[in-house]
Amino acid sequence: MGSEMASSGAAPEIRPVILCGGSGTRLWPASRESMPKQFARLVDPVQSTFQATALRVADQALFAKPTVIAAAESRFIAAEQLAQVGLSADILLEPQGRDSAAAVAVAALHAASADPQAIVLIMAADHVIGDADAFRAAVAAAAEGARAGQIMTLGIEPTRPATDYGYIRRGSALPAAAGYAVERFVEKPTQAGAERLIADGALWNSGYFLFRADVMLAELAAFAPDTLAGARAALEAAARDLDFIRLDAAAFATCPKISIDYAVMERTGRAGVVPVSFPWSDVGTWDAVWQVLDHDAAGNALRGRVELIDTKNSLVHSAGDGLTTVVGLEDVVVVTTPDAVLVASKARSGAVKELVGQLRAKAHPEADAHLRMYRPWGWYQRIDIGERFQVKRIQVVPGGRLSLQKHYHRAEHWVVVKGTAEVTVDERVALVHENEAIYLPIGSMHRLSNPGKIPLELIEVQVGSYTGEDDIIRVEDIYGR
Amino acid sequence: MGSEMASSGAAPEIRPVILCGGSGTRLWPASRESMPKQFARLVDPVQSTFQATALRVADQALFAKPTVIAAAESRFIAAEQLAQVGLSADILLEPQGRDSAAAVAVAALHAASADPQAIVLIMAADHVIGDADAFRAAVAAAAEGARAGQIMTLGIEPTRPATDYGYIRRGSALPAAAGYAVERFVEKPTQAGAERLIADGALWNSGYFLFRADVMLAELAAFAPDTLAGARAALEAAARDLDFIRLDAAAFATCPKISIDYAVMERTGRAGVVPVSFPWSDVGTWDAVWQVLDHDAAGNALRGRVELIDTKNSLVHSAGDGLTTVVGLEDVVVVTTPDAVLVASKARSGAVKELVGQLRAKAHPEADAHLRMYRPWGWYQRIDIGERFQVKRIQVVPGGRLSLQKHYHRAEHWVVVKGTAEVTVDERVALVHENEAIYLPIGSMHRLSNPGKIPLELIEVQVGSYTGEDDIIRVEDIYGR
């Protein structure tokens, strides 16, 4: 204990919590429920904002092992992306989204179970921060106030009179720590309101919070007792599921759907704020994505195979193999994916959320599902579909193993194009190598796994009267699905 | 002969000629060299403009069997599209495009070989005409002038001061027939020039011509003797190739690359024009396509799977299975295909030609090749490609038969998903039915045909170190390729 105190001072560790809920519909079609923006690589082609967020608090001298609170459906992506950057975390799974108050309550309870006075740092998984050192310095400063019993936020110095952010009016300087008491939280203002707020020294509400676990629990008990009770019951009845902690669905469902801002921050007398000026964006719209990206001389931010004629100040993002071209336009967003294309006025890119609502109302599958669907064992992607057939490309990671399954309405032909497959068909087990094929008759019990050291890729040709995903009868699954 | 004269009068038959050259790059990506706009179904989802053009002159009481002059590469599409609408034609193949003077010379020679005084009607394959009866009435009127020795054109009454069309200034009324002598042809004018021309009663130059074969040949001899000599030699040395007449390449290459307007019309004293006022468009740009299509209340013309928010006066054309969305834009053109997307300002849609030049300069394959490639036996389309593999969907028409071939660098797996295939592999012939597969080892001599009554569809998975189209060693081919 002595040497630990010598290296980290007398301060308790900061316990980072990454909130990963949210489906990011305003960045459709790159972000969809099946691969929301915090996991997509929209800003940086190498790293998702979730990964960048986790790496920002990876310094073990300053931060404890992080906790990730994610939607149950995102659990394999979250775990896989952490593994890619060499990190591990406690992953708590929300059976359904109940907004941020419930998630913060779970985070505070989880931290308190280890140390009631633990300092908890709540972070969004989908923000871009331009200066990690400045961020950590701000967190260290805010931690002082947290230790002194404040619920601290990071308040971003505004760079423009944004109307799509909440603002924080600061009051007097805190007596015992850096920062200010919060005078008032102000909802998204008008343009004129934003200008007045900025003139008065107000800050953008970033959604980052630092608090002592016991302080937050006391405030939740006072202002949001239902949320706290539901979160506590959900955590007490949580089930371990592989490496995940699955919150109890029935208990969690009793948590009111409310944000931590409404539930606690706007009511507590303990709110404090540390002003920060590092580059920050919540990348909430395609316009915001364009703003954080590098631009060429014409003000364009380009990704993938793109060709332009006389086009300016635009974001053109060509995902997949296709070629995307733009002629004679300014201030537009063009995002192309293999199954869906968005063309929008940059100024109206906030309306993409409304568009996705329209797509859902009309039952377009592209509203929520990506063509490439990630699974714990790898991914699959439909590459063709016709009247009585469907073709998929399937990748299985080394050691990956699909469920033991059968289909009532289709036969399948598998052609291995990379790696080696171990295929079980009824009683028989076969190794199928590159350039070999195997046939799975209708009704046969089968299982695919990758016993090798490199990813396995195969082409699956399904033939039958019905090729929907719901004609999969799972008999056994190592991933507990 | 008596009854024929009773039904058609003393008039000789009109011999329609459809000029099908041109790659229509300004309508990229829907129109490409591998499927140019006259064969694509851009305006009418059921019928190409080539088919509509042929049907417009299908009345055998008025018109003889048409002659089609097409690029050699388009021969199977042209024949197939004629067959689809129940028509047949003499199809003359240009080994390379030499502009319209050479094509008109070939047409005049071909007609004269049957009847030196035949009336020839030259038509473009890529125009939209809103009133077929009015068109035929105009042709009948212009045929009078042609019989009297004039080279007649149809002059469209302008509906706006277009700067992208040529104009015809009319002179005195013809003495012996409907219409006027042409005073002068005027190249694409400025806006002010167009307004003056229209005030003076000038007409748009539609590119339709009617003439007696002997008259055109005499004028060609006088004004374009090299063109005439090259065309004559190319026709005399032409080869019959299945149902096609293939002009001799060496001879045809001697024809100067010049339009019939420059070569003859602007020089002859015999030019006449019949004013017409039927709805007409050369559908030369996406803007022009938008103009001829029906619009919804917001002025949008939509095709395929499209969803809009606050979008006006735009053309959104979603080819293939994908979903195309537009938010908050006006006067744009969005054309999506499975491998390429165009987003353009409607006003700048003429610059698509420049864009295609840029794509060619950068060697993007999408500049000229479509993903779905038509062949005499059907079509194929790449549906996936990876490091050492490629997947195609192949359709073979009933009776279709691919060449006998082999590959040095790839093996192939064929899975039949519809119909029945007859597959020859080396010495063996097998019938492969729906939901059956067959393997073609590297180097095996193989052939695919469809012996059935319905189209055959199969998924081809190629595996090997190289999957390019040029690793096809053709040993025998019923289509003479």
Side-chain angles (χ1 to χ4, degrees), chain A residues 296-300 302 306-316 324-332 334, chain B residues 332 342-356 358 362:
Chain A
D296 65 18
N300 295 314
L302 310 178
V306 171
E307 293 289 341
L308 308 178
I309 299 257
D310 295 342
T311 293
K312 291 179 195 161
N313 300 322
S314 292
L315 171 61
V316 188
T324 302
T325 66
V326 184
V327 174
L329 288 170
E330 292 186 29
D331 295 308
V332 295
V334 179
Chain B
V332 295
L342 170 73
V343 181
S345 145
K346 218 167 59 187
R348 292 295 311 284
S349 66
V352 171
K353 185 173 184 163
E354 186 187 330
L355 171 71
V356 174
Q358 179 173 320
K362 297 193 180 178

Side-chain angles (χ1 to χ4, degrees), chain A residues 305 307 341 366 384 393, chain B residues 305 325 343 364 366 384 393:
Chain A
R305 296 184 62 219
E307 293 289 341
V341 170
E366 295 87 350
D384 201 6
R393 179 171 169 186
Chain B
R305 296 184 64 220
T325 65
V343 181
H364 290 294
E366 293 88 350
D384 200 5
R393 179 170 169 185

Side-chain angles (χ1 to χ4, degrees), chain B residues 175-426:
Chain B
Y180 302 84
V182 169
E183 185 193 301
R184 196 154 65 83
F185 289 89
V186 183
E187 274 297 284
K188 295 172 183 174
T190 62
Q191 170 99 10
E195 283 163 5
R196 275 197 305 277
L197 284 162
I198 292 172
D200 288 351
L203 303 160
W204 286 340
N205 184 357
S206 66
Y208 288 77
F209 302 100
L210 281 105
F211 49 79
R212 252 178 31 216
D214 58 350
V215 171
M216 178 56 82
L217 293 175
E219 299 302 274
L220 283 164
F223 301 114
D226 292 351
T227 297
L228 182 59
R232 180 171 279 132
L235 202 54
E236 279 170 359
R240 277 254 160 211
D241 170 4
L242 306 175
D243 298 327
F244 307 110
I245 300 163
R246 197 185 276 274
L247 297 170
D248 181 70
F252 199 64
T254 69
C255 294
K257 217 167 181 174
I258 186 172
S259 74
I260 190 67
D261 299 78
Y262 283 124
V264 171
M265 297 308 291
E266 297 187 2
R267 304 181 186 189
T268 179
R270 293 173 172 272
V273 59
V274 168
V276 299
S277 57
F278 48 73
W280 169 87
S281 171
D282 72 347
V283 241
T285 61
W286 283 113
D287 186 12
V289 173
W290 174 79
Q291 286 175 28
V292 302
L293 291 174
D294 291 334
H295 303 152
D296 64 19
N300 296 312
L302 309 179
R303 171 84 74 83
R305 296 184 64 220
V306 171
E307 292 291 341
L308 308 179
I309 299 257
D310 295 342
T311 293
K312 291 180 195 161
N313 300 321
S314 292
L315 170 62
V316 188
H317 181 120
S318 189
D321 301 326
L323 178 64
T324 302
T325 65
V326 185
V327 174
L329 288 169
E330 291 188 29
D331 297 308
V332 295
V333 170
V334 179
V335 181
T336 64
T337 69
D339 62 341
V341 170
L342 170 73
V343 181
S345 145
K346 218 167 59 187
R348 292 295 311 284
S349 66
V352 171
K353 185 173 184 163
E354 186 187 330
L355 171 71
V356 174
Q358 179 173 320
L359 301 186
R360 284 177 179 156
K362 297 193 180 178
H364 290 294
E366 293 88 350
D368 293 305
H370 268 284
L371 213 50
R372 181 169 291 187
M373 296 296 279
Y374 286 86
R375 291 291 180 260
W377 44 261
W379 53 260
Y380 69 86
Q381 180 167 347
R382 188 183 72 221
I383 57 175
D384 200 5
I385 187 164
E387 210 187 320
R388 281 173 55 85
F389 72 93
Q390 182 172 207
V391 188
K392 287 180 178 175
R393 179 170 169 185
I394 295 174
Q395 185 179 96
V396 184
V397 297
R401 193 170 172 79
L402 279 69
S403 61
L404 182 65
Q405 57 184 237
K406 64 177 178 177
H407 313 292
Y408 288 125
H409 302 290
R410 65 180 186 244
E412 293 175 343
H413 301 255
W414 288 346
V415 181
V416 173
V417 296
K418 189 178 180 184
T420 297
E422 184 186 282
V423 180
T424 307
V425 189
D426 295 326

Side-chain angles (χ1 to χ4, degrees), chain B residues 121-203:
Chain B
L121 163 62
I122 301 285
M123 297 184 288
D126 57 354
H127 290 186
V128 168
I129 286 177
D131 183 341
D133 288 335
F135 170 77
R136 284 184 288 264
V139 166
E144 290 178 37
R147 272 177 219 114
Q150 303 284 334
I151 302 181
M152 299 300 293
T153 66
L154 302 185
I156 315 285
E157 300 274 10
T159 52
R160 60 193 164 85
T163 57
D164 49 347
Y165 294 146
Y167 284 73
I168 299 173
R169 290 183 68 105
R170 48 185 146 175
S172 53
L174 291 176
Y180 302 84
V182 169
E183 185 193 301
R184 196 154 65 83
F185 289 89
V186 183
E187 274 297 284
K188 295 172 183 174
T190 62
Q191 170 99 10
E195 283 163 5
R196 275 197 305 277
L197 284 162
I198 292 172
D200 288 351
L203 303 160

Side-chain angles (χ1 to χ4, degrees), chain A residues 197-218:
Chain A
L197 283 162
I198 292 172
D200 290 350
L203 302 160
W204 285 340
N205 184 357
S206 66
Y208 288 78
F209 302 101
L210 280 104
F211 50 78
R212 251 176 33 214
D214 58 349
V215 171
M216 178 56 81
L217 293 175

